[in-house]
Amino acid sequence: MVARITFFPVGNGDMTLLELESATRILIDLNIREAADDEDDDTPDVARMLRDRLEYLGRDSEGRLFVDAFLVSHPDADHCRGVQKHLHLGAPDSWSNDDDKVFVREIWSSPIVFRRASRNHTLCEDAKAFTAEARRRVARFRDPGASAGEGDRILILGEDENGKTDDLEEILVHLGETFSRINTADESASVSVLLLGPLQSGDEEEEQALAKNGSSTILRFSITGGGVLDACRFLTAGDAEVAIWERIWRDHKTSPELLTYHILQSPHHCSWHSLSYDSWSENGEDAEVCNDARSALSQALAGAAIVASSKAIKDDDNDPPCIRAMREYEAICKEVGGTFHCVGEPESDPECLVFEIGSNGPRNPTKRMKSSSVIGAGALGRHRLPHG
Amino acid sequence: MISTGPAPGASAALARAIRLLQSHPGIRNLSQDQSDPYRFELLVRVGLPFRWMAEGATPSGVRAAEPITLVFREPIAFCPPSILLRTDFDRSLAHVQPWLEEGRPVPCIFEGSLEELQQQFGLAGIVNQLIEWLENAALGTLIDPAQGWEPVRRDFIEDVVVADAVAIEGLVDRRGGQATFSFEYVEDTQASVVRGVLGTDQIPINRKSTSQYFQSRRVREEIRMGRSLGIVAWPGKLPSGGLFLTDEYRPETVVNIGTLKERATQYGCRDYLDSALGLLARCVKSWKFDGTFPLAVVLCARRPFNIIGRSSCIELCAYILRIGAPDLLASGDTTRVRPAGHRDVIEPQLLRRLSGHVGPPAAHWAQIGAGSLGSKITLHLAKAGDAPAVIVDRQNMSPHNFARHGLNPPRDMALGLLGPKADELGEAILRLGQKAKVYTLNIVDVLADPDKSRKIFRDAPWVVVNSTASLVVREAFSRSGNRDLPRVIETSLFAGGRAGLLTVEGSERNPNTGDLIAEAYRVAGCTAKLRGVLTGTRSGIERVQTGQGCGSATMVMDDARLSQFAASMAGGILSLRTDGLPETGRLSWGIVADDGLGLSWETFHLAPSVIATAENESAWKVRLSKRVHQLIQRELERYPNVETGGVLLGTHSEAAQAFYVVGLLPAPDDSIRSRFEFLLGKKGLRRQINDYMTRHGDLLYCLGTWHSHLEPSGPSRTDRASAAAVGLARLAPSVLLIHTPDGYRFVLSESK
């Protein structure tokens, strides 16, 4: 099958589905807002879009919609909203036909699930539920009498600083490591994944700098297309901010190849704070770009696409998404003849942004006109309509 | 920047087409020709792989923004636009038409007819399909190995070489070679067309005996029949030992011996062709020919995978040239060569039984469409002595038609003499002792010409049976206001032959076929078994795939299944012949049992539709099914003292300029009714509309709104504003229907 990357129109938040040539599906983050579940609301029904796509790819032998792996880049609400309602959490045999939730064969999680909630780490209900599920799976792994099958599996991306992952070597991916094992299968013919973050802090000062959105998982996927290995490089980083990128550049500037990409999901929904220590709303055009962070984020390959998973970007003080950050990313794209995309646009009718990966690399197929544009309900049901 | 607008004198349909092109997400820089308002230049975005996107084009030259010219002509609802590529577009790609228009290449974007694609999916479907084609061209995937190799396109070529493909494929070996066969032909000397059949026994070429194979006699003024030779040449292996493969698609370019030899070089059989022609040239030096003879040449190209629809990778490329004596080729390498279509010989299993059964009464009905279903229905009736008085079909018979057609191949089939289907069917009827007037015309053109239409249908006052399976023909009948036109019975098959539909128009053609089809979709959506028929028929315009065959778009089913339906439908029509036509309209769905044995039919009767005319656009009509009209009456009885309303559901046809309303959704709970205003709420409405569309496979959808006025007044300013709001939000036209004490009226609205 054709490998694809789909960005769902979830507003300021992330939700990305990778489909590999092997038919393996990896879901990165979830942001299904209550309003998106309301038929009478104009928020795109991303739950339906995701389910339709999974349905198209086929259910498993138990009749379940499923993903092979589900990553929560970090447990902020805009990255795990809707987990309880839409994904099956708990023991595999408790999956219910009536609820028909999406079954997660393997969870990918940063070691943050081992940290307790604190004033700096308040967790929303979905994050708590995800954390509990991750811990359940870790406990299952640790239980010598149990075997972790599909629905019980977990992969921990990065070591815990307090040694809580010391006994998890078998399900642990170390920082800087490349892995192709997904749900216990060797997927090296389809993908290899490089773990670039979360970073471990060197000292207390750096820990503080890295703490803010510093726990985001950063992955660089090398995806096979049309049978050609490494046809598409995709860099995704949750909400990683400027200090992280500065440090990543410091660590990798002698081997920038590791940071190259065809597709970059601009961190933190096109936030200025991934590129600068200055505040956009306070400093405006005087805000300065952190050159090292920009270098880390500008290893674009020919024709690269940078994707803002955000609301429509406007020329205002907002951040994220930030117009100044968009300009910076557009400049990066321009250098390589690439294109900047915002998933929230057009604002009137945002759709999934899809990239297909063939032997010549990724491409963004031209949008077709939908039948709903011609014969859809149009204005009916969107507004009250007076008839005199 | 889009610089278009409706030009003075241009039709509303053109304005609608412009709006759609402007709204299409894949189109940029649309501009209208200043001297010809029907001509548009535009750029189509082609989703190239990133690195080529950065360079602006693929290595094969397909650009990230391809300039396209669209040329519309009236009537737009029936005529899809001509699509022209830029002059320097690479013509070596598969699925490029073999001809040029205005010196520009023309893409073949769809396997069937564009007219039918337009009727099914509209202009949006054509543009979507063009994008699909361009992206496949960019990716080099116009030829899909899974579906097979696309043979070199040879549309509209009249010369024909009939040859047993399986026998020739059997000749092709690793050594390469050539062989000579007899070639029996018929030649139209006036039209310079040769059709012939290649023999199956090889003929050794030598000076003495070969000359006896050349014979020719005049059978009519311009027709000669005769015997000549045909040369077949095939490739061998490469010096490296591997088989010689031709894996590059090239359009047909052969015009003379020189280009024929170039082509033979590409196919790896040049030496063998030279050898055969050289031997023949030496032989004819001593012969005395009376005139010249056609010579057939078949070059075999070995492709990397099987040819579409065949179990062999050998493509047969046939040509006709003229030879003489003592010089074989009058002008050497510039001697003219014409590409010829290859036709297969008919396999014995394709032959059909035809038996005479005489005893017909006078025939007073017309059969439109002499294809598989039409021919069988016609023959069933003809064999009951009740043949049609008129047969209309514009297409010629082809060998593949015999897989399911009611006719057996004619005796002179081996000579490639296949005439129009209507003629062949008329001929078969004649042999059954009956006579039909046969017209090889496009029925759509006939219906557009009142005089022609009157002349043809005065011979068939009882009924017209439409078995064309063509949406274009259906819409043309629905649109026709010709009062001389008899009622239409339409026969069609659905879902790969799992279901069949027979509709009979009511008295005065009300309900008409459009009403009946919309109602048929409605009842199918209410029946679990039939729902699959709808959802399998149409899956949304964004999902049309590029076809590979460029041949006839036809439903795949076996002859037995088709005959099941044809026999049933013919039985139904015969009953009507006996019992007379019903006053009301009638539709019958037939469905095959899971075991393939049984066929069960359910019939629904339909009272005349209630027809409303537009306030602001006289040509359009709203046609309410009687059931919908009664539902509205019931709602009015519930709310006699306040205005009320709801949502209209059904389908519409731009070609027939009609809205067919077959369903209603009640006003949502948050609607407000008062004496002077009805406020249509929104609670749950979109879900209801979406569910309705899904249940009916998107064939039925929301058409607009209706509401009541307590006084016999026309649309208020509020109504017009609401109509505009509804129209703005989608591209299809919408209806705002008003019920007043003295009847219906409506406002047509669409995005401007």
Side-chain angles (χ1 to χ4, degrees):
Chain A
M1 62 175 283
V2 178
R4 285 165 53 118
I5 303 177
T6 304
F7 296 90
F8 293 85
V10 294
N12 274 7
D14 283 359
M15 182 162 146
T16 311
L17 181 68
L18 270 67
E19 299 164 31
L20 306 179
E21 285 195 335
S22 59
T24 294
R25 318 141 189 205
I26 303 166
L27 180 64
I28 302 174
D29 292 330
L30 195 77
N31 187 31
I32 303 177
R33 294 161 286 179
E34 283 293 321
D37 289 335
D38 178 0
E39 175 65 22
D40 291 330
D41 190 281
D42 277 345
T43 306
D45 188 353
V46 288
R48 188 165 182 160
M49 293 175 189
L50 174 66
R51 292 179 67 85
D52 281 354
R53 188 65 201 167
L54 294 177
E55 195 81 65
Y56 172 82
L57 294 170
R59 289 177 178 251
D60 67 10
S61 55
E62 308 289 322
R64 302 174 294 207
L65 295 176
F66 71 95
V67 292
D68 293 277
F70 171 56
L71 165 70
V72 170
S73 65
H74 66 294
D76 275 0
D78 53 348
H79 293 257
C80 62
R81 189 176 277 122
V83 159
Q84 290 184 95
K85 183 171 177 186
H86 296 280
L87 303 188
H88 172 69
L89 304 177
D93 57 11
S94 64
W95 183 86
S96 126
N97 202 25
D98 292 339
D99 293 343
D100 198 21
K101 292 183 183 178
V102 176
F103 187 75
V104 178
R105 290 177 165 179
E106 181 171 82
I107 277 179
W108 293 0
S109 170
S110 76
I112 198 169
V113 293
F114 298 111
R115 292 189 203 160
R116 291 192 181 282
S118 67
R119 205 172 48 175
N120 295 334
H121 285 98
T122 49
L123 295 178
C124 65
E125 289 306 311
D126 278 313
K128 284 179 192 164
F130 175 77
T131 302
E133 172 65 6
R135 286 180 174 166
R136 181 191 73 78
R137 293 187 182 212
V138 170
R140 178 89 183 168
F141 170 76
R142 281 181 169 140
D143 181 352
S147 64
E150 279 179 357
D152 282 332
R153 293 184 184 130
I154 184 164
L155 211 55
I156 304 295
L157 305 183
E159 302 116 282
D160 180 61
E161 290 167 11
N162 301 320
K164 295 200 172 172
T165 51
D166 289 355
D167 62 337
L168 300 178
E169 196 57 36
E170 208 179 307
I171 56 168
L172 187 66
V173 178
H174 296 275
L175 190 66
E177 243 177 35
T178 297
F179 67 99
S180 294
R181 188 185 63 179
I182 300 174
N183 187 33
T184 72
D186 177 10
E187 295 273 0
S188 53
S190 307
V191 72
S192 72
V193 191
L194 170 65
L195 182 66
L196 291 164
L199 302 179
Q200 290 181 322
S201 51
D203 54 46
E204 202 171 313
E205 191 187 343
E206 194 177 47
E207 179 173 357
Q208 224 168 12
L210 298 184
K212 187 165 171 50
N213 282 326
S215 57
S216 283
T217 305
I218 305 174
L219 298 175
R220 213 272 313 260
F221 290 83
S222 296
I223 304 166
T224 301
V228 175
L229 292 174
D230 198 21
C232 174
R233 295 181 179 181
F234 168 46
L235 182 57
T236 177
D239 286 355
E241 294 207 334
V242 59
I244 309 281
W245 295 109
E246 194 177 25
R247 163 86 179 273
I248 284 181
W249 183 246
R250 213 170 63 211
D251 293 349
H252 296 295
K253 63 182 170 190
T254 54
S255 51
E257 173 74 8
L258 296 179
L259 302 176
T260 52
Y261 59 83
H262 292 99
I263 301 171
L264 166 70
Q265 186 160 26
S266 64
H268 202 182
H269 329 301
C270 201
S271 163
W272 178 241
H273 284 292
S274 295
L275 289 160
S276 169
Y277 283 99
D278 298 343
S279 158
W280 164 248
S281 58
E282 289 169 15
N283 300 296
E285 298 294 344
D286 293 334
E288 285 183 17
V289 172
C290 168
N291 288 331
D292 280 359
R294 190 191 190 278
S295 296
L297 287 165
S298 58
Q299 301 306 309
L301 296 165
I306 298 182
V307 177
S309 183
S310 68
K311 298 187 291 193
I313 302 171
K314 295 182 175 160
D315 193 355
D316 57 19
D317 290 344
N318 268 353
D319 182 18
C322 171
I323 183 82
R324 175 79 191 277
M326 181 184 90
R327 276 192 236 133
E328 209 62 50
Y329 288 124
E330 282 182 334
I332 293 170
C333 289
K334 197 175 173 192
E335 287 164 22
V336 294
T339 317
F340 178 84
H341 302 259
C342 174
V343 183
E345 289 170 359
E347 208 173 359
S348 58
D349 185 22
E351 292 176 46
C352 288
L353 176 64
V354 176
F355 295 92
E356 286 184 4
I357 303 163
S359 57
N360 290 302
R363 70 184 193 100
N364 169 224
T366 301
K367 280 183 186 166
R368 311 303 199 252
M369 178 166 269
K370 295 182 293 183
S371 52
S372 58
S373 309
V374 184
I375 58 164
L380 295 193
R382 281 198 184 162
H383 315 285
R384 286 187 156 197
L385 276 176
H387 294 69
Chain B
M1 187 65 196
I2 290 171
S3 57
T4 50
S11 72
L14 182 67
R16 205 171 293 128
I18 293 172
R19 285 197 296 276
L20 188 136
L21 293 175
Q22 287 170 334
S23 309
H24 199 291
I27 290 180
R28 299 205 303 261
N29 295 38
L30 180 73
S31 69
Q32 198 168 18
D33 193 289
Q34 289 196 332
S35 57
D36 179 358
Y38 285 82
R39 189 183 179 92
F40 296 86
E41 305 295 332
L42 49 105
L43 290 177
V44 173
R45 179 193 181 274
V46 185
L48 305 182
F50 286 178
R51 59 191 165 118
W52 296 338
M53 205 68 161
E55 290 162 14
T58 68
S60 64
V62 179
R63 296 183 192 166
E66 268 296 338
I68 297 289
T69 301
L70 295 181
V71 186
F72 290 87
R73 63 194 167 91
E74 297 285 1
I76 284 177
F78 285 102
C79 304
S82 299
I83 302 168
L84 306 180
L85 302 167
R86 61 190 152 83
T87 319
D88 55 350
F89 194 92
D90 184 3
R91 289 190 65 213
S92 71
L93 296 166
H95 294 279
V96 176
Q97 303 286 17
W99 66 87
L100 298 172
E101 273 180 42
E102 303 175 17
R104 298 166 63 171
V106 178
C108 171
I109 63 168
F110 184 59
E111 66 176 328
S113 98
L114 277 190
E115 283 86 351
E116 294 298 324
L117 182 69
Q118 172 166 294
Q119 288 307 320
Q120 197 168 6
F121 300 115
L123 179 58
I126 289 179
V127 176
N128 284 351
Q129 194 66 11
L130 171 63
I131 293 170
E132 182 90 17
W133 187 92
L134 285 168
E135 294 196 338
N136 279 328
L139 298 174
T141 51
L142 282 172
I143 290 184
D144 177 1
Q147 291 185 306
W149 182 272
E150 159 79 3
V152 177
R153 291 189 58 81
R154 293 172 163 221
D155 308 55
F156 307 111
I157 286 173
E158 295 197 57
D159 293 292
V160 170
V161 173
V162 179
D164 185 338
V166 175
I168 292 180
E169 287 154 15
L171 288 174
V172 179
D173 56 14
R174 291 182 62 81
R175 293 196 304 273
Q178 49 89 5
T180 309
F181 301 87
S182 69
F183 181 61
E184 296 199 40
Y185 66 90
V186 177
E187 182 173 21
D188 183 332
T189 51
Q190 200 169 18
S192 292
V193 172
V194 173
R195 295 178 178 187
V197 60
L198 217 55
T200 49
D201 296 327
Q202 289 191 41
I203 293 171
I205 299 183
N206 57 58
R207 285 179 197 210
K208 287 183 181 165
S209 64
T210 312
S211 61
Q212 71 193 29
Y213 282 94
F214 292 89
Q215 295 170 6
S216 170
R217 68 188 166 89
R218 184 179 301 278
V219 288
R220 283 213 305 268
E221 179 66 21
E222 69 287 358
I223 303 290
R224 295 190 74 85
M225 291 182 77
R227 196 165 65 164
S228 172
L229 294 177
I231 294 170
V232 178
W234 62 93
K237 59 183 180 181
L238 295 162
S240 62
L243 288 173
F244 190 101
L245 286 179
T246 309
D247 58 3
E248 188 184 1
Y249 181 93
R250 280 173 182 272
E252 186 54 80
T253 51
V254 171
V255 291
N256 56 29
I257 289 288
T259 46
L260 178 70
K261 287 178 176 174
E262 280 172 21
R263 184 57 58 140
T265 304
Q266 288 158 17
Y267 293 161
C269 53
R270 167 72 182 269
D271 290 348
Y272 309 109
L273 176 68
D274 282 348
S275 157
L277 288 175
L279 181 57
L280 205 53
R282 288 195 294 279
C283 290
V284 301
K285 285 283 179 205
S286 57
W287 295 350
K288 286 201 171 64
F289 272 176
D290 180 16
T292 59
F293 287 86
L295 177 82
V297 173
V298 178
L299 302 182
C300 300
R302 189 186 280 117
R303 299 301 190 179
F305 39 86
N306 285 355
I307 311 299
I308 291 170
R310 304 200 71 94
S311 55
S312 163
C313 62
I314 305 299
E315 180 181 344
L316 306 185
C317 305
Y319 303 90
I320 297 285
L321 60 126
R322 189 155 281 284
I323 57 171
D327 294 322
L328 184 76
L329 304 169
S331 311
D333 274 3
T334 58
T335 304
R336 191 175 166 212
V337 178
R338 297 198 304 265
H342 164 249
R343 299 279 183 273
D344 236 335
V345 291
I346 294 171
E347 303 289 331
Q349 65 264 32
L350 295 179
L351 300 175
R352 297 271 164 76
R353 177 180 54 85
L354 187 71
S355 64
H357 206 59
V358 189
H364 296 295
W365 62 282
Q367 174 66 38
I368 314 299
S372 45
L373 189 59
S375 67
K376 287 195 170 173
I377 290 172
T378 302
L379 287 175
H380 277 304
L381 267 79
K383 287 177 185 180
D386 204 2
V390 172
I391 300 172
V392 186
D393 193 306
R394 65 169 165 160
Q395 290 185 318
N396 269 18
M397 286 295 268
S398 285
H400 77 269
N401 292 136
F402 290 103
R404 294 182 308 223
H405 202 272
L407 292 177
N408 285 339
R411 189 179 300 166
D412 48 6
M413 166 70 199
L415 296 177
L417 287 176
L418 286 174
K421 287 179 182 175
D423 283 354
E424 302 284 339
L425 195 55
E427 183 69 25
I429 287 172
L430 202 59
R431 275 185 252 139
L432 289 172
Q434 297 162 76
K435 191 169 182 181
K437 283 192 180 173
V438 169
Y439 299 93
T440 51
L441 297 170
N442 182 349
I443 187 67
V444 177
D445 296 339
V446 170
L447 291 167
D449 181 340
D451 290 339
K452 209 181 276 181
S453 173
R454 198 170 301 119
K455 182 178 161 226
I456 289 177
F457 290 113
R458 72 180 169 210
D459 292 322
W462 183 67
V463 95
V464 175
V465 176
N466 171 16
S467 309
T468 56
S470 163
L471 302 177
V472 182
V473 173
R474 176 192 295 163
E475 299 303 344
F477 271 115
S478 293
R479 183 183 183 128
S480 175
N482 182 356
R483 291 184 173 278
D484 299 331
L485 209 59
R487 295 201 218 179
V488 178
I489 291 178
E490 186 175 297
T491 61
S492 45
L493 301 180
F494 289 78
R498 280 192 297 115
L501 181 62
L502 181 82
T503 57
V504 183
E505 290 187 340
S507 178
E508 305 286 319
R509 298 198 63 210
N510 187 7
N512 68 18
T513 307
D515 299 320
L516 289 159
I517 295 291
E519 186 65 15
Y521 292 156
R522 188 190 73 77
V523 299
C526 302
T527 314
K529 261 194 166 177
L530 283 168
R531 201 171 299 143
V533 173
L534 298 186
T535 49
T537 305
R538 174 168 170 163
S539 55
I541 56 178
E542 50 274 41
R543 291 191 199 161
V544 188
Q545 299 297 311
T546 300
Q548 294 291 330
C550 288
S552 68
T554 180
M555 207 179 273
V556 174
M557 78 184 88
D558 56 35
D559 184 55
R561 174 64 53 82
L562 193 129
S563 294
Q564 267 180 306
F565 280 105
S568 266
M569 289 169 170
I573 296 169
L574 279 168
S575 294
L576 291 173
R577 293 290 278 171
T578 310
D579 304 338
L581 290 167
E583 196 59 26
T584 61
R586 223 179 73 173
L587 71 94
S588 306
W589 271 115
I591 192 152
V592 178
D594 291 340
D595 61 7
L597 284 170
L599 192 58
S600 59
W601 289 87
E602 193 171 358
T603 295
F604 304 83
H605 296 271
L606 205 64
S609 295
V610 177
I611 299 167
T613 47
E615 290 276 334
N616 54 350
E617 176 99 17
S618 60
W620 283 78
K621 300 268 190 291
V622 169
R623 303 179 65 94
L624 300 159
S625 75
K626 189 68 183 288
R627 187 182 144 276
V628 163
H629 171 66
Q630 286 167 343
L631 287 172
I632 289 176
Q633 294 297 330
R634 217 171 295 160
E635 177 77 2
L636 295 174
E637 284 162 17
R638 248 182 100 190
Y639 298 102
N641 301 317
V642 288
E643 293 191 2
T644 185
V647 174
L648 304 172
L649 300 162
T651 180
H652 84 289
S653 163
E654 281 190 32
Q657 295 190 296
F659 296 90
Y660 303 102
V661 185
V662 293
L664 289 183
L665 283 179
D669 292 344
D670 57 340
S671 302
I672 298 171
R673 297 172 178 85
S674 72
R675 276 195 68 74
F676 305 106
E677 188 179 68
F678 164 68
L679 193 64
L680 181 69
K682 62 175 191 169
K683 196 173 174 190
L685 186 55
R686 290 176 69 197
R687 183 181 292 276
Q688 281 193 67
I689 292 172
N690 285 339
D691 288 350
Y692 188 89
M693 287 177 70
T694 305
R695 198 161 62 244
H696 295 90
D698 281 3
L699 291 163
L700 300 180
Y701 40 85
C702 165
L703 298 175
T705 65
W706 77 274
H707 73 288
S708 60
H709 280 185
L710 301 181
E711 304 292 332
S713 57
S716 65
R717 192 179 297 175
T718 310
D719 289 338
R720 291 192 190 277
S722 281
V726 172
L728 267 178
R730 66 178 202 175
L731 290 161
S734 305
V735 167
L736 186 138
L737 181 74
I738 303 164
H739 179 277
T740 74
D742 61 359
Y744 291 101
R745 48 188 79 181
F746 76 91
V747 180
L748 176 81
S749 72
E750 51 188 323
S751 53
K752 298 289 182 197

